[in-house]
Amino acid sequence: MDTLSYKTISANKATVNKEWLLVDAEGETLGRLSSKVANLLRGKHKPSFTPHVDCGDNVVIINAEKVALSGNKWAEKTYLRYTGYPGGQRSTTAIQLLEKNPASIVERAVKGMLPKNRLGAALFRNLKVYAGSEHGQEAQKPKVVNVKDLK
């Protein structure tokens, strides 16, 4: 038996096949949507997944303003940031953040589910989030993906 024919195939930047995917966030729960989008960005749904390579797809999310949160999270969930000065910790509730920048709620949730290193930063650049139903990636012809069909 020829053991050289059983080599493990490892994807690299030249051999990876990236697609454009379109996800509609209307009525979707924020955490469930974010975890599935993070898997699409990471490439874990592909048989050629390699942990240290950006082998995921480019994802466009529309209708981010219509995402759902369960319970009292709209009023009680807080987002923290720090200005860099003493006493400079600022907090914002989810409803305030939705009014100010609806896309950032989905962006923050997805970014938290990606690796915290240079690969995670590169993967996050493959995500485009839009508050409304219009997006600027028509030229890429994104394939529509139903998030409920993904496991």
mmCIF file of all heavy atoms in Angstrom, residues 101-121:
data_model
loop_
_atom_site.group_PDB
_atom_site.id
_atom_site.type_symbol
_atom_site.label_atom_id
_atom_site.label_comp_id
_atom_site.label_asym_id
_atom_site.label_seq_id
_atom_site.Cartn_x
_atom_site.Cartn_y
_atom_site.Cartn_z
ATOM 1 N N ASN A 101 -26.724 53.426 16.044
ATOM 2 C CA ASN A 101 -26.056 52.692 14.976
ATOM 3 C C ASN A 101 -26.547 51.241 14.981
ATOM 4 O O ASN A 101 -25.979 50.398 15.668
ATOM 5 C CB ASN A 101 -24.535 52.754 15.160
ATOM 6 C CG ASN A 101 -23.795 52.185 13.981
ATOM 7 O OD1 ASN A 101 -24.390 51.745 13.010
ATOM 8 N ND2 ASN A 101 -22.483 52.167 14.081
ATOM 9 N N PRO A 102 -27.605 50.919 14.233
ATOM 10 C CA PRO A 102 -28.188 49.570 14.273
ATOM 11 C C PRO A 102 -27.235 48.474 13.828
ATOM 12 O O PRO A 102 -27.287 47.356 14.330
ATOM 13 C CB PRO A 102 -29.382 49.652 13.328
ATOM 14 C CG PRO A 102 -29.616 51.083 13.065
ATOM 15 C CD PRO A 102 -28.344 51.799 13.338
ATOM 16 N N ALA A 103 -26.340 48.768 12.902
ATOM 17 C CA ALA A 103 -25.433 47.737 12.395
ATOM 18 C C ALA A 103 -24.406 47.319 13.438
ATOM 19 O O ALA A 103 -23.922 46.186 13.421
ATOM 20 C CB ALA A 103 -24.732 48.235 11.144
ATOM 21 N N SER A 104 -24.067 48.214 14.366
ATOM 22 C CA SER A 104 -23.008 47.893 15.326
ATOM 23 C C SER A 104 -23.422 46.815 16.320
ATOM 24 O O SER A 104 -22.557 46.131 16.868
ATOM 25 C CB SER A 104 -22.570 49.148 16.064
ATOM 26 O OG SER A 104 -23.596 49.597 16.928
ATOM 27 N N ILE A 105 -24.713 46.638 16.562
ATOM 28 C CA ILE A 105 -25.162 45.576 17.471
ATOM 29 C C ILE A 105 -24.780 44.218 16.893
ATOM 30 O O ILE A 105 -24.208 43.369 17.587
ATOM 31 C CB ILE A 105 -26.684 45.666 17.710
ATOM 32 C CG1 ILE A 105 -27.003 46.908 18.533
ATOM 33 C CG2 ILE A 105 -27.210 44.421 18.404
ATOM 34 C CD1 ILE A 105 -28.464 47.103 18.811
ATOM 35 N N VAL A 106 -25.059 44.005 15.618
ATOM 36 C CA VAL A 106 -24.728 42.733 14.972
ATOM 37 C C VAL A 106 -23.214 42.593 14.825
ATOM 38 O O VAL A 106 -22.658 41.515 15.050
ATOM 39 C CB VAL A 106 -25.443 42.620 13.609
ATOM 40 C CG1 VAL A 106 -25.065 41.345 12.900
ATOM 41 C CG2 VAL A 106 -26.949 42.697 13.792
ATOM 42 N N GLU A 107 -22.533 43.677 14.463
ATOM 43 C CA GLU A 107 -21.075 43.622 14.308
ATOM 44 C C GLU A 107 -20.386 43.221 15.606
ATOM 45 O O GLU A 107 -19.481 42.400 15.608
ATOM 46 C CB GLU A 107 -20.539 44.982 13.839
ATOM 47 C CG GLU A 107 -20.827 45.279 12.396
ATOM 48 C CD GLU A 107 -20.393 46.676 11.996
ATOM 49 O OE1 GLU A 107 -20.031 47.483 12.886
ATOM 50 O OE2 GLU A 107 -20.421 46.965 10.793
ATOM 51 N N ARG A 108 -20.803 43.816 16.724
ATOM 52 C CA ARG A 108 -20.199 43.496 18.021
ATOM 53 C C ARG A 108 -20.439 42.043 18.404
ATOM 54 O O ARG A 108 -19.556 41.372 18.935
ATOM 55 C CB ARG A 108 -20.759 44.391 19.114
ATOM 56 C CG ARG A 108 -20.250 45.795 19.089
ATOM 57 C CD ARG A 108 -20.938 46.607 20.165
ATOM 58 N NE ARG A 108 -20.558 47.998 20.120
ATOM 59 C CZ ARG A 108 -20.118 48.665 21.173
ATOM 60 N NH1 ARG A 108 -20.002 48.071 22.332
ATOM 61 N NH2 ARG A 108 -19.803 49.929 21.062
ATOM 62 N N ALA A 109 -21.650 41.546 18.133
ATOM 63 C CA ALA A 109 -21.968 40.162 18.486
ATOM 64 C C ALA A 109 -21.142 39.175 17.670
ATOM 65 O O ALA A 109 -20.614 38.193 18.208
ATOM 66 C CB ALA A 109 -23.464 39.907 18.281
ATOM 67 N N VAL A 110 -20.983 39.429 16.376
ATOM 68 C CA VAL A 110 -20.206 38.525 15.525
ATOM 69 C C VAL A 110 -18.726 38.612 15.868
ATOM 70 O O VAL A 110 -18.031 37.595 15.955
ATOM 71 C CB VAL A 110 -20.446 38.841 14.028
ATOM 72 C CG1 VAL A 110 -19.514 38.039 13.150
ATOM 73 C CG2 VAL A 110 -21.886 38.552 13.652
ATOM 74 N N LYS A 111 -18.224 39.826 16.110
ATOM 75 C CA LYS A 111 -16.808 40.002 16.424
ATOM 76 C C LYS A 111 -16.431 39.276 17.709
ATOM 77 O O LYS A 111 -15.333 38.728 17.817
ATOM 78 C CB LYS A 111 -16.476 41.484 16.547
ATOM 79 C CG LYS A 111 -15.002 41.751 16.699
ATOM 80 C CD LYS A 111 -14.690 43.227 16.638
ATOM 81 C CE LYS A 111 -13.196 43.440 16.620
ATOM 82 N NZ LYS A 111 -12.844 44.854 16.469
ATOM 83 N N GLY A 112 -17.352 39.233 18.672
ATOM 84 C CA GLY A 112 -17.084 38.528 19.917
ATOM 85 C C GLY A 112 -16.988 37.029 19.752
ATOM 86 O O GLY A 112 -16.452 36.344 20.626
ATOM 87 N N MET A 113 -17.502 36.494 18.650
ATOM 88 C CA MET A 113 -17.473 35.055 18.406
ATOM 89 C C MET A 113 -16.348 34.627 17.464
ATOM 90 O O MET A 113 -16.250 33.453 17.127
ATOM 91 C CB MET A 113 -18.821 34.605 17.848
ATOM 92 C CG MET A 113 -19.936 34.802 18.819
ATOM 93 S SD MET A 113 -21.501 34.283 18.179
ATOM 94 C CE MET A 113 -22.576 34.798 19.486
ATOM 95 N N LEU A 114 -15.520 35.565 17.061
ATOM 96 C CA LEU A 114 -14.364 35.265 16.213
ATOM 97 C C LEU A 114 -13.109 35.178 17.071
ATOM 98 O O LEU A 114 -13.092 35.667 18.201
ATOM 99 C CB LEU A 114 -14.203 36.349 15.145
ATOM 100 C CG LEU A 114 -15.295 36.415 14.078
ATOM 101 C CD1 LEU A 114 -15.085 37.617 13.176
ATOM 102 C CD2 LEU A 114 -15.353 35.140 13.271
ATOM 103 N N PRO A 115 -12.035 34.558 16.565
ATOM 104 C CA PRO A 115 -10.793 34.473 17.336
ATOM 105 C C PRO A 115 -10.237 35.859 17.661
ATOM 106 O O PRO A 115 -10.394 36.799 16.894
ATOM 107 C CB PRO A 115 -9.829 33.722 16.410
ATOM 108 C CG PRO A 115 -10.680 33.058 15.404
ATOM 109 C CD PRO A 115 -11.924 33.854 15.279
ATOM 110 N N LYS A 116 -9.599 35.960 18.829
ATOM 111 C CA LYS A 116 -9.050 37.244 19.268
ATOM 112 C C LYS A 116 -7.581 37.335 18.859
ATOM 113 O O LYS A 116 -6.677 37.368 19.690
ATOM 114 C CB LYS A 116 -9.143 37.376 20.780
ATOM 115 C CG LYS A 116 -10.476 37.751 21.409
ATOM 116 C CD LYS A 116 -11.665 37.238 20.755
ATOM 117 C CE LYS A 116 -12.916 37.441 21.601
ATOM 118 N NZ LYS A 116 -13.927 36.458 21.266
ATOM 119 N N ASN A 117 -7.298 37.368 17.569
ATOM 120 C CA ASN A 117 -5.932 37.463 17.063
ATOM 121 C C ASN A 117 -5.978 38.075 15.664
ATOM 122 O O ASN A 117 -7.016 38.579 15.241
ATOM 123 C CB ASN A 117 -5.250 36.084 17.057
ATOM 124 C CG ASN A 117 -6.056 35.023 16.354
ATOM 125 O OD1 ASN A 117 -6.899 35.325 15.514
ATOM 126 N ND2 ASN A 117 -5.811 33.773 16.682
ATOM 127 N N ARG A 118 -4.851 38.047 14.951
ATOM 128 C CA ARG A 118 -4.804 38.651 13.617
ATOM 129 C C ARG A 118 -5.736 37.951 12.640
ATOM 130 O O ARG A 118 -6.296 38.583 11.740
ATOM 131 C CB ARG A 118 -3.382 38.641 13.082
ATOM 132 C CG ARG A 118 -2.515 39.700 13.725
ATOM 133 C CD ARG A 118 -1.144 39.695 13.125
ATOM 134 N NE ARG A 118 -0.416 38.505 13.564
ATOM 135 C CZ ARG A 118 0.830 38.241 13.243
ATOM 136 N NH1 ARG A 118 1.503 39.046 12.461
ATOM 137 N NH2 ARG A 118 1.427 37.157 13.690
ATOM 138 N N LEU A 119 -5.910 36.647 12.798
ATOM 139 C CA LEU A 119 -6.835 35.928 11.922
ATOM 140 C C LEU A 119 -8.261 36.414 12.152
ATOM 141 O O LEU A 119 -9.015 36.618 11.202
ATOM 142 C CB LEU A 119 -6.746 34.412 12.179
ATOM 143 C CG LEU A 119 -7.737 33.559 11.391
ATOM 144 C CD1 LEU A 119 -7.490 33.678 9.897
ATOM 145 C CD2 LEU A 119 -7.649 32.115 11.823
ATOM 146 N N GLY A 120 -8.646 36.613 13.415
ATOM 147 C CA GLY A 120 -9.979 37.117 13.721
ATOM 148 C C GLY A 120 -10.218 38.490 13.131
ATOM 149 O O GLY A 120 -11.307 38.794 12.635
ATOM 150 N N ALA A 121 -9.207 39.350 13.161
ATOM 151 C CA ALA A 121 -9.332 40.680 12.568
ATOM 152 C C ALA A 121 -9.496 40.586 11.054
ATOM 153 O O ALA A 121 -10.283 41.329 10.449
ATOM 154 C CB ALA A 121 -8.110 41.525 12.916
#
